[in-house]
Amino acid sequence: MQKSSIHIVKEQISKSKKIVIISHYNPDGDAVGSSLALFHFFRHQGLDARVILPNPFPDFLNWMPGSEYVLIGYKHLNTAKRMLEEADMLFVVDMNAAHRSGRDLEDPIRNSPAFKVLIDHHPNPNLTCNYQYSTTKTTSTCELVYNFMAKRLKQKADITLEAARCIYTGMITDTGSLSYACNNPNTYRILSHIVKMGVNGEEIHRLVYDNYSESRMKLLGLSLCKRMNVLSEYATSIIYLSLKDLADFGYQMGDTEGFVNYGLSMKTVVFTAFFIQREDRIRISFRSKGSFDVGQFAAKHFGGGGHRNASAANYYSSLEEAIAEFKRILPQYQEEIVKFLGK
Ligand SMILES: [Mn+2]
C-alpha cells in the first residue's frame, strides 16, 4: 500500500468521527502511556477517541490519567470488535503486528476499514497501514508519539499535561528509568519540555515504582534467593518461576514485571533469561548488555523477537525442558557473550 503523507494524516484526523487506539497484550507502561497520550491529545481537540487494551494492565499503572476509560478488549470482545469495525481512524501503538493484540483481536485489527496509523519502536513492522512511523532508535513508543504530535503534526500546543504525564511514564518504564536505550539527546529535549509543562518526574517515579504489592516483593525474594542460577563461564544468569511458585506467593498480574532486569544487574553477567511458567506455555524474557543481540537470539532459537538488548519468546513445553534447551544452545554463544565482560 502506498503510504500517505503527514498532510493526509492530519486531514484524516480533523474529519475523523471515531478514532480508536489499540496496543499489545499484557500492556506495559509504554503501551498504556502511548495509547493514553494519544487519547488525551485527540480529546483535547474535541475528537472522539477511545482506547482498547486487550487485557488489564498492571496495578501500578492504575493511576494513569484516562486509564478509567480504557476498554479491556478480552472482557468486552464484541464491543471491541464493533469499535474496530466502526472506527474511521485506527492508531496501532507499541506493537509491530496485529497478532500482538492476541488471537481474538488480530483479524478485527487487520480487517478494520479505518485509516490505519502505526507508531512503534519494535523491529520489522508488519501491518498493512496508511501511515507508518516506526524506528527502533528511540527510548519508547511514547517518545515517538510525542514526536508525532509535536514534530510531524506540528501540534505541540495540543499536548496536554495529562498526555505529557503518560509520555513520561512510557519513556521511563521502557528504559529502566533511563538506564538503557537512552543515549539520544532528543530524549532529553522531550523530557525537558514536558517537565517544563509541569510533569512531576519524582511523583511518577513514586507512583510507578513505590507501588508494589506484597506478593511481588515476596516473589522477588524467592526469585533471587532460590530461583536464580549464575552460569559464570557464560557470563549468563537465569531466573525461573513455576506455576506453583506463583500460586504459593499469591501472584497477581504484573507482579513479575521487570524481574528479568535483576538477572542482568550483576557485574559478572552479560546475558540473562527469565523463565515464567504459564498455564499453556513458558514465557521467556531475555536481556543483554552491549552488542549481544537477544532479539536475534530469541527469534532464531525460540521463535520470539524483540530488540537488541530486550526480547521475549514462548516455549511450549515444560519449564525444565525450556531451561535445558536454553543451556544446550548457550555454549555456541560463549565467546560472543563473554567478550563484553568488563566493558
Ligand atoms: Mn515499548
Side-chain angles (χ1 to χ4, degrees), residues 23-24 28-31 34 93-95 120-122 139-142 170 173-174 307:
S23 192
H24 60 80
D28 55 7
D30 194 29
S34 53
V93 296
D94 201 36
M95 60 187 205
D120 181 42
H121 70 136
H122 296 89
T139 55
S140 55
T141 299
C142 275
T173 54
D174 252 26
H307 309 280

Side-chain angles (χ1 to χ4, degrees), residues 43 148 341:
R43 288 271 173 129
F148 176 77
L341 261 186

Side-chain angles (χ1 to χ4, degrees), residues 156-190:
K156 212 175 186 170
D158 288 316
I159 302 177
T160 62
L161 181 59
E162 287 91 350
R165 292 178 82 211
C166 295
I167 289 164
Y168 188 93
T169 306
M171 288 175 75
I172 61 158
T173 54
D174 252 26
T175 57
S177 298
L178 298 172
S179 61
Y180 50 84
C182 60
N183 274 339
N184 189 333
N186 278 327
T187 298
Y188 297 91
R189 266 180 226 125
I190 296 170

